Amino acid sequence: MDVPDKALVIGASTGGLEALRPIVRELPARTSAAIFIVLHVGSHKSDLPRLLSHRSQLPAVHPRSGEPVEAGRIYVAPPDHHMIVDSGRIVLTRGPRENRARPAIDPLFRSAARAYGESAIGVILTGALNDGTAGLFEIKARGGTTVVQDPRDALCADMPQSALTHVEIDHIAPASSLGALLADLLTRQPVTSRPIPSPEEQEMTTEFKLARPRAMTCPDCGGALSQSQAGQLTRFTCHIGHAYTAEVMLAAQFVVMEQFIETALRALNERAALCHFMGQKADDKQQCRWLAAHDEALSRTAVLKQLLESEWLQPSAQACEADS
């Protein structure tokens, strides 16, 4: 088994398959690097390893948790599992979602930064919002190489544009040119001693955990949130481990708010139906009260309908349609 001295980590979301195909086609058949890919597939079945193997000279697989990392292989995060590198082995976990995704890009990038230091190459491809930016920031902070797909070439420019905004990027190129660029980087990327993580970093970042809370609450579980910074990028993490950038949390909060409004709308409709039913059965003295309550409930649904149908201000750039 060839132990890799470099790691190439690639993250993508909306439009990622189309961007990955020309990249893997150019990767060399013999390399001392291991390649790791996260595509936002959620819990849906993924044929990505088979599709990439047809295009690449390197075998692509969904790894097993605990297997040793080998050079010259493409490891694809399996559905509904984060994939990280720890002590020369691949760890798969169903820990808390980050940026509403599992698998997410940030956990892989953070682990690669800590395991490979200057010998890590991080690549952000097309995708909505900004998963991967914080992880790419850590790769750069530890001396690794940062690469993004040209936002003008991306089906969805959010992720590469966020990386450009928040991280010092070494290389920008369209997907059609990234394969040759990465093949060249793999031949000249410096090999350095592996950095030893601090005690705080030895904590598994994708496991459920406890942490000091803040005033805001997690859109997924309702737990309190703590705040951290990756350069100018603000991140929020709840005390069991769900993590968001501010932009992703804004979108998640809107979904939760919409669900609550829809619940209230349903309750008002049911109240109106009940009052109408009882009004039809009531005597003349009571009927007017039931029917008045019916009319009141219907009139108040108008406010909720307006909230649901109105456009809301989006402080960040317009995001592409969320992945299914």
Side-chain angles (χ1 to χ4, degrees):
M1 182 187 73
D2 293 329
V3 178
D5 56 18
K6 313 173 187 70
L8 170 61
V9 291
I10 303 174
S13 184
T14 309
L17 178 58
E18 290 73 16
L20 284 166
R21 281 171 170 159
I23 292 174
V24 299
R25 186 171 56 237
E26 298 294 329
L27 296 179
R30 297 185 62 83
T31 176
S32 61
I35 295 90
F36 303 87
I37 295 175
V38 170
L39 179 65
H40 286 170
V41 295
S43 58
H44 302 288
K45 181 181 177 181
S46 172
D47 287 330
L48 188 58
R50 179 180 62 82
L51 295 173
L52 296 182
S53 292
H54 285 327
R55 296 277 179 156
S56 177
Q57 302 178 80
L58 302 173
V61 297
H62 285 316
R64 300 182 310 275
S65 188
E67 73 174 82
V69 179
E70 295 184 40
R73 293 173 70 83
I74 300 174
Y75 298 100
V76 180
D80 206 28
H81 286 77
H82 295 307
M83 177 173 68
I84 64 175
V85 186
D86 183 41
S87 301
R89 294 184 178 272
I90 294 172
V91 177
L92 303 178
T93 170
R94 294 191 69 253
R97 291 175 176 82
E98 296 204 18
N99 293 316
R100 308 212 90 188
R102 187 174 60 213
I105 301 166
D106 278 335
L108 171 64
F109 279 31
R110 288 197 303 267
S111 69
R114 294 167 187 176
Y116 291 92
E118 293 182 11
S119 296
I121 305 170
V123 184
I124 294 293
L125 303 178
T126 173
L129 296 173
N130 53 15
D131 186 29
T133 297
L136 195 66
F137 180 89
E138 187 155 348
I139 287 175
K140 186 63 179 178
R142 292 172 179 267
T145 303
T146 54
V147 182
V148 298
Q149 181 181 3
D150 189 330
R152 296 170 297 182
D153 176 63
L155 179 64
C156 186
D158 290 4
M159 280 175 29
Q161 187 59 59
S162 174
L164 284 168
T165 300
H166 296 285
V167 184
E168 182 183 345
I169 300 301
D170 298 308
H171 303 279
I172 307 169
S176 59
S177 302
L178 281 175
L181 169 65
L182 295 174
D184 178 60
L185 290 175
L186 289 177
T187 64
R188 57 187 174 93
Q189 182 73 6
V191 179
T192 61
S193 59
R194 306 289 172 81
I196 300 174
S198 67
E200 293 81 9
E201 293 170 347
Q202 291 174 6
E203 174 188 10
M204 245 343 166
T205 56
T206 57
E207 291 182 348
F208 290 97
K209 62 186 183 197
L210 298 177
R212 183 175 297 177
R214 283 182 72 90
M216 285 186 289
T217 57
C218 173
D220 281 315
C221 71
L225 292 165
S226 60
Q227 179 182 326
S228 61
Q229 293 292 132
Q232 296 300 310
L233 188 72
T234 302
R235 299 180 73 247
F236 298 91
T237 308
C238 79
H239 51 106
I240 67 167
H242 295 119
Y244 315 83
T245 61
E247 291 79 4
V248 174
M249 192 169 78
L250 186 72
Q253 286 175 331
F254 188 86
V255 171
V256 172
M257 180 181 65
E258 190 174 57
Q259 291 171 343
F260 277 116
I261 295 173
E262 289 173 347
T263 299
L265 183 61
R266 185 203 69 207
L268 281 172
N269 277 330
E270 291 176 353
R271 176 182 173 85
L274 175 62
C275 291
H276 183 268
F277 173 76
M278 294 302 296
Q280 297 301 312
K281 295 177 58 177
D283 57 31
D284 291 343
K285 183 177 180 180
Q286 290 294 321
Q287 186 179 56
C288 64
R289 294 177 61 83
W290 283 110
L291 294 181
H294 163 269
D295 293 343
E296 177 188 64
L298 285 184
S299 68
R300 292 184 179 180
T301 63
V303 177
L304 299 181
K305 288 179 180 179
Q306 183 180 9
L307 287 173
L308 288 172
E309 295 169 358
S310 298
E311 295 292 334
W312 291 72
L313 292 174
Q314 300 296 332
S316 58
Q318 183 65 34
C320 294
E321 183 177 346
D323 297 340
S324 59

Short mmCIF file of all heavy atoms in Angstrom, two decimals, residues 70-130:
data_model
loop_
_atom_site.label_atom_id
_atom_site.label_comp_id
_atom_site.label_asym_id
_atom_site.label_seq_id
_atom_site.Cartn_x
_atom_site.Cartn_y
_atom_site.Cartn_z
N GLU A 70 -4.92 5.43 0.79
CA GLU A 70 -3.91 4.99 -0.17
C GLU A 70 -3.73 6.05 -1.25
O GLU A 70 -4.68 6.73 -1.65
CB GLU A 70 -4.34 3.69 -0.85
CG GLU A 70 -4.43 2.50 0.07
CD GLU A 70 -4.77 1.23 -0.68
OE1 GLU A 70 -4.23 1.05 -1.80
OE2 GLU A 70 -5.57 0.42 -0.16
N ALA A 71 -2.50 6.20 -1.72
CA ALA A 71 -2.23 7.09 -2.83
C ALA A 71 -2.84 6.52 -4.11
O ALA A 71 -3.00 5.30 -4.26
CB ALA A 71 -0.73 7.28 -3.01
N GLY A 72 -3.18 7.42 -5.03
CA GLY A 72 -3.68 6.98 -6.32
C GLY A 72 -5.11 6.50 -6.33
O GLY A 72 -5.51 5.74 -7.22
N ARG A 73 -5.89 6.91 -5.35
CA ARG A 73 -7.30 6.53 -5.29
C ARG A 73 -8.16 7.78 -5.09
O ARG A 73 -7.71 8.76 -4.47
CB ARG A 73 -7.57 5.53 -4.16
CG ARG A 73 -6.91 4.18 -4.39
CD ARG A 73 -7.04 3.28 -3.18
NE ARG A 73 -8.40 2.81 -2.94
CZ ARG A 73 -8.96 1.77 -3.55
NH1 ARG A 73 -8.28 1.10 -4.46
NH2 ARG A 73 -10.18 1.39 -3.24
N ILE A 74 -9.37 7.73 -5.62
CA ILE A 74 -10.34 8.80 -5.43
C ILE A 74 -11.38 8.32 -4.43
O ILE A 74 -12.06 7.31 -4.67
CB ILE A 74 -11.02 9.19 -6.75
CG1 ILE A 74 -9.99 9.68 -7.77
CG2 ILE A 74 -12.09 10.25 -6.51
CD1 ILE A 74 -10.58 9.94 -9.16
N TYR A 75 -11.48 9.02 -3.31
CA TYR A 75 -12.45 8.67 -2.27
C TYR A 75 -13.62 9.65 -2.34
O TYR A 75 -13.42 10.87 -2.24
CB TYR A 75 -11.79 8.72 -0.90
CG TYR A 75 -10.66 7.73 -0.73
CD1 TYR A 75 -9.33 8.14 -0.84
CD2 TYR A 75 -10.92 6.39 -0.47
CE1 TYR A 75 -8.28 7.23 -0.70
CE2 TYR A 75 -9.88 5.47 -0.32
CZ TYR A 75 -8.57 5.90 -0.43
OH TYR A 75 -7.54 4.99 -0.28
N VAL A 76 -14.81 9.12 -2.49
CA VAL A 76 -16.01 9.94 -2.61
C VAL A 76 -16.86 9.76 -1.35
O VAL A 76 -17.17 8.62 -0.95
CB VAL A 76 -16.83 9.54 -3.85
CG1 VAL A 76 -18.09 10.40 -3.97
CG2 VAL A 76 -15.98 9.65 -5.11
N ALA A 77 -17.23 10.87 -0.71
CA ALA A 77 -18.04 10.79 0.49
C ALA A 77 -19.36 10.09 0.17
O ALA A 77 -20.08 10.49 -0.75
CB ALA A 77 -18.31 12.19 1.05
N PRO A 78 -19.72 9.05 0.92
CA PRO A 78 -20.97 8.34 0.64
C PRO A 78 -22.19 9.14 1.12
O PRO A 78 -22.04 10.07 1.92
CB PRO A 78 -20.82 7.04 1.44
CG PRO A 78 -19.85 7.37 2.52
CD PRO A 78 -18.93 8.41 1.98
N PRO A 79 -23.37 8.80 0.64
CA PRO A 79 -24.56 9.54 1.05
C PRO A 79 -24.75 9.56 2.57
O PRO A 79 -24.49 8.56 3.26
CB PRO A 79 -25.70 8.75 0.37
CG PRO A 79 -25.05 8.09 -0.79
CD PRO A 79 -23.67 7.75 -0.34
N ASP A 80 -25.17 10.71 3.06
CA ASP A 80 -25.57 10.90 4.46
C ASP A 80 -24.43 10.65 5.45
O ASP A 80 -24.67 10.35 6.62
CB ASP A 80 -26.75 9.99 4.80
CG ASP A 80 -27.59 10.55 5.94
OD1 ASP A 80 -27.62 11.78 6.13
OD2 ASP A 80 -28.22 9.75 6.67
N HIS A 81 -23.17 10.78 5.00
CA HIS A 81 -22.02 10.61 5.91
C HIS A 81 -20.99 11.70 5.63
O HIS A 81 -20.63 11.94 4.47
CB HIS A 81 -21.35 9.25 5.70
CG HIS A 81 -22.12 8.09 6.25
ND1 HIS A 81 -23.23 7.57 5.62
CD2 HIS A 81 -21.95 7.37 7.39
CE1 HIS A 81 -23.70 6.57 6.34
NE2 HIS A 81 -22.95 6.42 7.42
N HIS A 82 -20.52 12.34 6.70
CA HIS A 82 -19.33 13.17 6.57
C HIS A 82 -18.12 12.26 6.37
O HIS A 82 -18.07 11.14 6.90
CB HIS A 82 -19.11 14.01 7.83
CG HIS A 82 -20.18 15.00 8.11
ND1 HIS A 82 -20.59 15.93 7.18
CD2 HIS A 82 -20.93 15.23 9.22
CE1 HIS A 82 -21.53 16.69 7.70
NE2 HIS A 82 -21.76 16.28 8.92
N MET A 83 -17.14 12.74 5.63
CA MET A 83 -15.89 12.00 5.41
C MET A 83 -14.74 12.87 5.86
O MET A 83 -14.60 14.01 5.41
CB MET A 83 -15.73 11.64 3.94
CG MET A 83 -14.42 10.92 3.60
SD MET A 83 -14.34 10.33 1.87
CE MET A 83 -14.27 11.91 0.97
N ILE A 84 -13.92 12.36 6.77
CA ILE A 84 -12.74 13.09 7.24
C ILE A 84 -11.54 12.17 7.24
O ILE A 84 -11.67 10.94 7.15
CB ILE A 84 -12.95 13.70 8.64
CG1 ILE A 84 -13.16 12.61 9.69
CG2 ILE A 84 -14.12 14.67 8.64
CD1 ILE A 84 -13.26 13.16 11.11
N VAL A 85 -10.35 12.78 7.33
CA VAL A 85 -9.09 12.05 7.38
C VAL A 85 -8.52 12.20 8.78
O VAL A 85 -8.39 13.32 9.30
CB VAL A 85 -8.09 12.60 6.35
CG1 VAL A 85 -6.84 11.73 6.32
CG2 VAL A 85 -8.72 12.69 4.97
N ASP A 86 -8.19 11.09 9.40
CA ASP A 86 -7.67 11.13 10.76
C ASP A 86 -6.62 10.04 10.94
O ASP A 86 -6.92 8.85 10.79
CB ASP A 86 -8.81 10.94 11.77
CG ASP A 86 -8.34 11.06 13.21
OD1 ASP A 86 -7.51 11.94 13.50
OD2 ASP A 86 -8.79 10.26 14.05
N SER A 87 -5.37 10.45 11.23
CA SER A 87 -4.27 9.52 11.50
C SER A 87 -4.10 8.49 10.38
O SER A 87 -3.90 7.30 10.62
CB SER A 87 -4.52 8.80 12.83
OG SER A 87 -4.62 9.72 13.89
N GLY A 88 -4.16 8.98 9.13
CA GLY A 88 -3.91 8.12 8.00
C GLY A 88 -5.07 7.21 7.63
O GLY A 88 -4.93 6.34 6.75
N ARG A 89 -6.21 7.41 8.24
CA ARG A 89 -7.38 6.59 7.94
C ARG A 89 -8.57 7.48 7.62
O ARG A 89 -8.62 8.65 8.01
CB ARG A 89 -7.72 5.66 9.12
CG ARG A 89 -6.65 4.61 9.36
CD ARG A 89 -7.04 3.63 10.45
NE ARG A 89 -5.99 2.62 10.61
CZ ARG A 89 -5.94 1.49 9.90
NH1 ARG A 89 -6.89 1.24 9.01
NH2 ARG A 89 -4.96 0.63 10.07
N ILE A 90 -9.52 6.90 6.93
CA ILE A 90 -10.75 7.61 6.60
C ILE A 90 -11.79 7.32 7.67
O ILE A 90 -11.99 6.16 8.07
CB ILE A 90 -11.28 7.18 5.22
CG1 ILE A 90 -10.29 7.61 4.13
CG2 ILE A 90 -12.66 7.76 4.94
CD1 ILE A 90 -10.60 7.06 2.77
N VAL A 91 -12.43 8.36 8.15
CA VAL A 91 -13.48 8.22 9.15
C VAL A 91 -14.79 8.71 8.54
O VAL A 91 -14.85 9.83 8.02
CB VAL A 91 -13.16 9.01 10.43
CG1 VAL A 91 -14.31 8.90 11.44
CG2 VAL A 91 -11.85 8.52 11.05
N LEU A 92 -15.80 7.88 8.58
CA LEU A 92 -17.14 8.27 8.14
C LEU A 92 -18.03 8.41 9.37
O LEU A 92 -17.95 7.60 10.30
CB LEU A 92 -17.74 7.21 7.22
CG LEU A 92 -16.94 6.86 5.96
CD1 LEU A 92 -17.66 5.76 5.17
CD2 LEU A 92 -16.72 8.09 5.08
N THR A 93 -18.82 9.46 9.38
CA THR A 93 -19.68 9.70 10.53
C THR A 93 -20.99 10.32 10.11
O THR A 93 -21.04 11.08 9.14
CB THR A 93 -18.98 10.63 11.56
OG1 THR A 93 -19.92 11.05 12.55
CG2 THR A 93 -18.42 11.87 10.88
N ARG A 94 -22.05 9.99 10.83
CA ARG A 94 -23.34 10.64 10.63
C ARG A 94 -23.55 11.72 11.69
O ARG A 94 -24.64 11.88 12.22
CB ARG A 94 -24.48 9.61 10.66
CG ARG A 94 -24.44 8.61 9.52
CD ARG A 94 -25.71 7.78 9.42
NE ARG A 94 -26.85 8.60 9.00
CZ ARG A 94 -27.84 8.98 9.79
NH1 ARG A 94 -27.84 8.64 11.08
NH2 ARG A 94 -28.83 9.70 9.32
N GLY A 95 -22.48 12.45 11.96
CA GLY A 95 -22.55 13.54 12.91
C GLY A 95 -23.42 14.68 12.40
O GLY A 95 -24.01 14.61 11.32
N PRO A 96 -23.52 15.76 13.17
CA PRO A 96 -24.43 16.86 12.82
C PRO A 96 -24.14 17.44 11.45
O PRO A 96 -22.99 17.53 11.02
CB PRO A 96 -24.15 17.89 13.92
CG PRO A 96 -23.54 17.13 15.03
CD PRO A 96 -22.78 16.02 14.40
N ARG A 97 -25.19 17.83 10.76
CA ARG A 97 -25.04 18.48 9.47
C ARG A 97 -24.31 19.81 9.62
O ARG A 97 -24.48 20.49 10.63
CB ARG A 97 -26.41 18.72 8.82
CG ARG A 97 -27.10 17.45 8.37
CD ARG A 97 -28.50 17.74 7.84
NE ARG A 97 -29.13 16.54 7.32
CZ ARG A 97 -29.75 15.63 8.07
NH1 ARG A 97 -29.83 15.83 9.39
NH2 ARG A 97 -30.29 14.56 7.54
N GLU A 98 -23.50 20.14 8.64
CA GLU A 98 -22.87 21.45 8.58
C GLU A 98 -23.39 22.17 7.35
O GLU A 98 -23.44 21.59 6.25
CB GLU A 98 -21.35 21.33 8.53
CG GLU A 98 -20.76 20.71 9.79
CD GLU A 98 -19.32 21.10 10.02
OE1 GLU A 98 -18.87 22.11 9.42
OE2 GLU A 98 -18.65 20.40 10.79
N ASN A 99 -23.79 23.43 7.54
CA ASN A 99 -24.41 24.19 6.46
C ASN A 99 -25.56 23.41 5.83
O ASN A 99 -25.76 23.41 4.62
CB ASN A 99 -23.37 24.59 5.41
CG ASN A 99 -22.36 25.56 5.96
OD1 ASN A 99 -22.72 26.51 6.65
ND2 ASN A 99 -21.09 25.33 5.66
N ARG A 100 -26.29 22.69 6.70
CA ARG A 100 -27.47 21.91 6.32
C ARG A 100 -27.13 20.76 5.38
O ARG A 100 -28.00 20.27 4.65
CB ARG A 100 -28.55 22.80 5.71
CG ARG A 100 -28.93 24.00 6.54
CD ARG A 100 -30.37 24.38 6.36
NE ARG A 100 -31.21 23.68 7.34
CZ ARG A 100 -32.54 23.71 7.32
NH1 ARG A 100 -33.18 24.34 6.35
NH2 ARG A 100 -33.23 23.08 8.23
N ALA A 101 -25.87 20.34 5.37
CA ALA A 101 -25.46 19.28 4.45
C ALA A 101 -24.77 18.14 5.20
O ALA A 101 -24.04 18.37 6.17
CB ALA A 101 -24.51 19.83 3.39
N ARG A 102 -25.00 16.92 4.76
CA ARG A 102 -24.27 15.73 5.20
C ARG A 102 -24.32 14.73 4.05
O ARG A 102 -25.40 14.20 3.78
CB ARG A 102 -24.88 15.14 6.48
CG ARG A 102 -24.04 14.01 7.07
CD ARG A 102 -24.56 13.52 8.40
NE ARG A 102 -25.93 13.01 8.24
CZ ARG A 102 -26.86 13.09 9.20
NH1 ARG A 102 -26.60 13.68 10.35
NH2 ARG A 102 -28.07 12.60 8.99
N PRO A 103 -23.24 14.54 3.33
CA PRO A 103 -21.88 15.00 3.61
C PRO A 103 -21.71 16.50 3.35
O PRO A 103 -22.35 17.06 2.47
CB PRO A 103 -21.02 14.20 2.64
CG PRO A 103 -21.94 13.90 1.49
CD PRO A 103 -23.30 13.70 2.10
N ALA A 104 -20.84 17.12 4.14
CA ALA A 104 -20.49 18.52 3.98
C ALA A 104 -19.02 18.63 3.61
O ALA A 104 -18.21 17.73 3.89
CB ALA A 104 -20.79 19.30 5.26
N ILE A 105 -18.68 19.76 3.01
CA ILE A 105 -17.32 19.98 2.52
C ILE A 105 -16.38 20.41 3.65
O ILE A 105 -15.23 19.95 3.74
CB ILE A 105 -17.32 21.03 1.39
CG1 ILE A 105 -18.22 20.56 0.25
CG2 ILE A 105 -15.91 21.30 0.89
CD1 ILE A 105 -18.55 21.66 -0.75
N ASP A 106 -16.84 21.30 4.51
CA ASP A 106 -15.97 21.86 5.55
C ASP A 106 -15.29 20.80 6.43
O ASP A 106 -14.10 20.92 6.72
CB ASP A 106 -16.75 22.85 6.42
CG ASP A 106 -16.85 24.23 5.78
OD1 ASP A 106 -15.98 24.57 4.96
OD2 ASP A 106 -17.79 24.97 6.11
N PRO A 107 -16.01 19.77 6.92
CA PRO A 107 -15.32 18.78 7.77
C PRO A 107 -14.15 18.11 7.07
O PRO A 107 -13.08 17.92 7.67
CB PRO A 107 -16.43 17.77 8.11
CG PRO A 107 -17.69 18.54 7.96
CD PRO A 107 -17.46 19.50 6.84
N LEU A 108 -14.32 17.74 5.79
CA LEU A 108 -13.22 17.12 5.05
C LEU A 108 -12.06 18.08 4.92
O LEU A 108 -10.90 17.71 5.16
CB LEU A 108 -13.71 16.69 3.66
CG LEU A 108 -12.60 16.23 2.71
CD1 LEU A 108 -11.90 14.98 3.23
CD2 LEU A 108 -13.14 16.01 1.30
N PHE A 109 -12.32 19.31 4.52
CA PHE A 109 -11.24 20.28 4.32
C PHE A 109 -10.49 20.56 5.62
O PHE A 109 -9.26 20.65 5.61
CB PHE A 109 -11.81 21.58 3.75
CG PHE A 109 -12.05 21.55 2.25
CD1 PHE A 109 -12.37 20.38 1.61
CD2 PHE A 109 -11.96 22.71 1.50
CE1 PHE A 109 -12.59 20.33 0.24
CE2 PHE A 109 -12.17 22.70 0.13
CZ PHE A 109 -12.49 21.50 -0.51
N ARG A 110 -11.22 20.70 6.73
CA ARG A 110 -10.54 20.94 8.01
C ARG A 110 -9.61 19.78 8.35
O ARG A 110 -8.47 19.97 8.78
CB ARG A 110 -11.57 21.12 9.13
CG ARG A 110 -12.33 22.42 9.10
CD ARG A 110 -13.00 22.69 10.44
NE ARG A 110 -13.89 21.60 10.84
CZ ARG A 110 -15.19 21.56 10.59
NH1 ARG A 110 -15.77 22.53 9.88
NH2 ARG A 110 -15.93 20.56 11.02
N SER A 111 -10.10 18.56 8.17
CA SER A 111 -9.28 17.41 8.53
C SER A 111 -8.06 17.28 7.61
O SER A 111 -6.97 16.93 8.06
CB SER A 111 -10.12 16.13 8.48
OG SER A 111 -10.48 15.78 7.16
N ALA A 112 -8.23 17.59 6.33
CA ALA A 112 -7.09 17.54 5.41
C ALA A 112 -6.05 18.59 5.75
O ALA A 112 -4.84 18.35 5.68
CB ALA A 112 -7.58 17.71 3.97
N ALA A 113 -6.52 19.78 6.14
CA ALA A 113 -5.60 20.84 6.53
C ALA A 113 -4.75 20.41 7.72
O ALA A 113 -3.54 20.65 7.77
CB ALA A 113 -6.37 22.11 6.87
N ARG A 114 -5.37 19.76 8.68
CA ARG A 114 -4.65 19.35 9.89
C ARG A 114 -3.77 18.14 9.65
O ARG A 114 -2.71 18.00 10.26
CB ARG A 114 -5.67 19.07 11.01
CG ARG A 114 -6.41 20.34 11.42
CD ARG A 114 -7.62 20.06 12.27
NE ARG A 114 -8.37 21.30 12.50
CZ ARG A 114 -9.52 21.37 13.14
NH1 ARG A 114 -10.08 20.27 13.61
NH2 ARG A 114 -10.12 22.53 13.31
N ALA A 115 -4.17 17.26 8.75
CA ALA A 115 -3.40 16.05 8.50
C ALA A 115 -2.24 16.27 7.54
O ALA A 115 -1.18 15.66 7.68
CB ALA A 115 -4.31 14.95 7.94
N TYR A 116 -2.41 17.18 6.54
CA TYR A 116 -1.41 17.30 5.47
C TYR A 116 -0.74 18.67 5.40
O TYR A 116 0.24 18.82 4.67
CB TYR A 116 -2.07 16.98 4.12
CG TYR A 116 -2.43 15.52 3.99
CD1 TYR A 116 -3.69 15.07 4.36
CD2 TYR A 116 -1.50 14.59 3.54
CE1 TYR A 116 -4.03 13.73 4.27
CE2 TYR A 116 -1.83 13.25 3.44
CZ TYR A 116 -3.10 12.82 3.80
OH TYR A 116 -3.43 11.50 3.71
N GLY A 117 -1.23 19.66 6.13
CA GLY A 117 -0.55 20.94 6.17
C GLY A 117 -0.29 21.53 4.80
O GLY A 117 -1.20 21.68 3.99
N GLU A 118 0.97 21.85 4.49
CA GLU A 118 1.33 22.46 3.21
C GLU A 118 1.12 21.53 2.02
O GLU A 118 1.13 21.98 0.87
CB GLU A 118 2.80 22.91 3.25
CG GLU A 118 3.06 24.05 4.22
CD GLU A 118 4.51 24.49 4.19
OE1 GLU A 118 5.25 24.04 3.27
OE2 GLU A 118 4.91 25.26 5.06
N SER A 119 0.94 20.26 2.28
CA SER A 119 0.74 19.29 1.20
C SER A 119 -0.73 19.04 0.89
O SER A 119 -1.08 18.08 0.21
CB SER A 119 1.41 17.96 1.56
OG SER A 119 2.81 18.13 1.65
N ALA A 120 -1.61 19.91 1.40
CA ALA A 120 -3.03 19.81 1.08
C ALA A 120 -3.38 20.81 -0.02
O ALA A 120 -2.93 21.96 -0.01
CB ALA A 120 -3.87 20.10 2.32
N ILE A 121 -4.16 20.36 -0.97
CA ILE A 121 -4.68 21.22 -2.03
C ILE A 121 -6.19 21.20 -1.93
O ILE A 121 -6.81 20.13 -2.01
CB ILE A 121 -4.26 20.72 -3.43
CG1 ILE A 121 -2.75 20.57 -3.52
CG2 ILE A 121 -4.78 21.65 -4.51
CD1 ILE A 121 -2.29 19.86 -4.79
N GLY A 122 -6.79 22.36 -1.72
CA GLY A 122 -8.23 22.45 -1.60
C GLY A 122 -8.85 23.11 -2.82
O GLY A 122 -8.34 24.12 -3.31
N VAL A 123 -9.95 22.51 -3.31
CA VAL A 123 -10.60 23.00 -4.52
C VAL A 123 -12.09 23.19 -4.26
O VAL A 123 -12.77 22.26 -3.80
CB VAL A 123 -10.43 22.02 -5.70
CG1 VAL A 123 -11.03 22.60 -6.97
CG2 VAL A 123 -8.96 21.65 -5.90
N ILE A 124 -12.60 24.38 -4.55
CA ILE A 124 -14.03 24.66 -4.45
C ILE A 124 -14.60 24.83 -5.85
O ILE A 124 -14.13 25.65 -6.63
CB ILE A 124 -14.30 25.94 -3.62
CG1 ILE A 124 -13.88 25.74 -2.17
CG2 ILE A 124 -15.78 26.34 -3.70
CD1 ILE A 124 -14.72 24.73 -1.42
N LEU A 125 -15.63 24.03 -6.13
CA LEU A 125 -16.30 24.09 -7.42
C LEU A 125 -17.69 24.71 -7.27
O LEU A 125 -18.03 25.22 -6.20
CB LEU A 125 -16.42 22.68 -8.02
CG LEU A 125 -15.11 21.90 -8.21
CD1 LEU A 125 -15.40 20.50 -8.75
CD2 LEU A 125 -14.17 22.66 -9.14
N THR A 126 -18.45 24.66 -8.31
CA THR A 126 -19.78 25.23 -8.38
C THR A 126 -20.67 24.78 -7.22
O THR A 126 -20.57 23.64 -6.76
CB THR A 126 -20.43 24.86 -9.72
OG1 THR A 126 -21.79 25.28 -9.73
CG2 THR A 126 -20.39 23.35 -9.95
N GLY A 127 -21.55 25.66 -6.77
CA GLY A 127 -22.49 25.29 -5.71
C GLY A 127 -23.14 26.49 -5.07
O GLY A 127 -22.65 27.62 -5.18
N ALA A 128 -24.27 26.23 -4.42
CA ALA A 128 -25.04 27.30 -3.77
C ALA A 128 -24.49 27.60 -2.38
O ALA A 128 -23.91 26.75 -1.72
CB ALA A 128 -26.51 26.90 -3.67
N LEU A 129 -24.68 28.86 -1.96
CA LEU A 129 -24.28 29.35 -0.64
C LEU A 129 -22.76 29.19 -0.45
O LEU A 129 -22.00 29.45 -1.38
CB LEU A 129 -25.11 28.69 0.45
CG LEU A 129 -26.61 29.05 0.37
CD1 LEU A 129 -27.43 28.24 1.37
CD2 LEU A 129 -26.84 30.53 0.56
N ASN A 130 -22.28 28.72 0.70
CA ASN A 130 -20.83 28.83 0.93
C ASN A 130 -20.21 27.70 1.74
O ASN A 130 -19.21 27.92 2.41
CB ASN A 130 -20.51 30.18 1.57
CG ASN A 130 -21.34 30.44 2.82
OD1 ASN A 130 -21.96 29.53 3.36
ND2 ASN A 130 -21.35 31.69 3.27
#
